[in-house]
Amino acid sequence: MRVEFPVRPGLRMECADGRRLVLVRETAGRGPVPVLFARQRVTHRGVHYARTGRHVSPLAPLRAERAREYAEFAAPGGAAWRDRWAAHAEAGLRAADAGPLHAGAWRLGPDATGWFVERHWDHLLPHDRDRGHLTWFGYGDPEGDARDLLPLRALSRPGAPRVRAYRRQYREGVLPPVFAWWISGLNVPVVLDGHDRLVAALAEDGRPEVLVLSRAVGAQDVARYSEHLVRAYEERMAALEDGPLRGTRAAGAARRFADELERVAGSPDRTRAWPFPGGVRAWEEAAAAHVPGWRPDADG
């Protein structure tokens, strides 16, 4: 999707230097409010974060009637169902006073990169903390820090009233997806909307449907990143031997090539970050004021 404005969104990342980040949300008459502070580790092994409890979803609350309406329109979990929900979220984000969209090309849809690791889902509920750490690439950090989705507010209890309602929807097969936003500086998608739906799916020993918002990679970059895939495909096809299995092997190679191209086209572009006013010193003061006592580890 193409977005023409605003130039600077109401929900945005700001950066004090190469490692100190903050997610801020504009509020009417009060200016930007910090939602999340983060500091990348100098070892490139992960990021320390601290939530402020100030996150507000940019989307309007979902009604159960809409979930059932969309389930009647198309089979839940299918492409048409996901497209319907993506269109719903796009309309809501375009109309939001404090959403992440800004001028440029965007993608909103299912993860095309294979980002979510099955065994990491079980870490989300027991390791959800307002102040924590996310490991990158599994560098021997605590196993529970290997999480592929970062909630922007504390997750509700599985027995909370709203979660119970969503658990019923999950059992009925009509639970709407979770809407997330890929932030490259954190190297993780954050939950924009659907925290209670996330808990509901996990509490039912299931997995949520997740639609991820990200900046879209440009056509020139897609072509450049795909060059080696095209060469590898051509080499595989040229190496196929004649025989009764040639057609089957050629079809398999073509499917693999199509999947690889889809992953490239669906890869998220870098998230834009605006300068944090006042730089490092102001960032340190803001972090001390909004998350007092937060001390990321000495290694960064």
Side-chain angles (χ1 to χ4, degrees), residues 28-41:
R30 297 174 56 191
V33 172
V35 173
L36 177 86
F37 288 89
R39 196 176 78 175
Q40 297 173 353
R41 295 174 62 178

Side-chain angles (χ1 to χ4, degrees), residues 34 37 52 54 131 281-295:
F37 288 89
T52 66
R54 308 295 292 276
R131 305 179 187 188
R281 180 174 180 179
W283 185 94
E284 297 283 359
E285 292 174 351
H290 290 279
V291 283
W294 180 50
R295 295 289 184 271

Side-chain angles (χ1 to χ4, degrees), residues 80-277:
W81 180 84
R82 294 190 187 103
D83 289 346
R84 188 72 176 264
W85 277 114
H88 166 87
E90 178 184 345
L93 290 173
R94 286 181 182 273
D97 293 330
L101 295 181
H102 58 80
W106 293 80
R107 178 185 182 275
L108 176 58
D111 169 50
T113 65
W115 171 257
F116 295 105
V117 177
E118 172 63 25
R119 67 178 182 276
H120 292 170
W121 285 112
D122 291 336
H123 300 166
L124 267 175
L125 292 183
H127 296 279
D128 180 58
R129 299 181 292 271
D130 281 336
R131 305 179 187 188
H133 169 265
L134 294 176
T135 185
W136 293 346
F137 320 119
Y139 275 105
D141 288 303
E143 178 69 14
D145 288 351
R147 284 166 286 151
D148 302 330
L149 195 63
L150 178 60
L152 289 179
R153 67 162 175 81
L155 295 177
S156 303
R157 295 176 294 102
R162 284 182 59 83
V163 175
R164 290 204 305 269
Y166 282 131
R167 291 178 70 169
R168 286 194 298 271
Q169 290 187 16
Y170 181 86
R171 292 192 295 269
E172 294 170 9
V174 300
L175 183 69
V178 173
F179 300 110
W181 173 27
W182 172 263
I183 299 180
S184 58
L186 302 176
N187 197 42
V188 71
V190 301
V191 179
L192 279 179
D193 180 83
H195 289 78
D196 288 341
R197 299 193 296 277
L198 170 64
V199 176
L202 296 177
E204 292 294 317
D205 294 324
R207 300 292 180 256
E209 290 281 349
V210 182
L211 299 184
V212 182
L213 174 74
S214 67
R215 293 185 66 199
V217 177
Q220 291 183 340
D221 288 333
V222 170
R224 184 170 67 254
Y225 299 154
S226 300
E227 287 178 356
H228 75 282
L229 298 176
V230 174
R231 289 195 299 271
Y233 173 68
E234 292 173 343
E235 292 170 0
R236 287 197 297 269
M237 295 300 291
L240 289 177
E241 298 179 355
D242 291 332
L245 296 180
R246 179 182 174 84
T248 300
R249 290 170 177 165
R255 286 193 298 270
R256 174 182 171 186
F257 180 50
D259 290 342
E260 291 170 338
L261 292 180
E262 183 179 359
R263 282 194 292 272
V264 170
S267 297
D269 201 358
R270 290 186 297 273
T271 307
R272 181 173 178 180
W274 279 257
F276 185 76

Side-chain angles (χ1 to χ4, degrees), residues 35-91:
V35 173
L36 177 86
F37 288 89
R39 196 176 78 175
Q40 297 173 353
R41 295 174 62 178
V42 295
T43 56
H44 302 292
R45 294 185 177 185
V47 61
H48 297 278
Y49 69 86
R51 300 186 299 227
T52 66
R54 308 295 292 276
H55 174 65
V56 175
S57 172
L59 299 177
L62 291 177
R63 299 182 66 86
E65 292 81 359
R66 186 178 297 271
R68 294 186 173 86
E69 173 192 341
Y70 283 12
E72 292 174 358
F73 167 79
W81 180 84
R82 294 190 187 103
D83 289 346
R84 188 72 176 264
W85 277 114
H88 166 87
E90 178 184 345

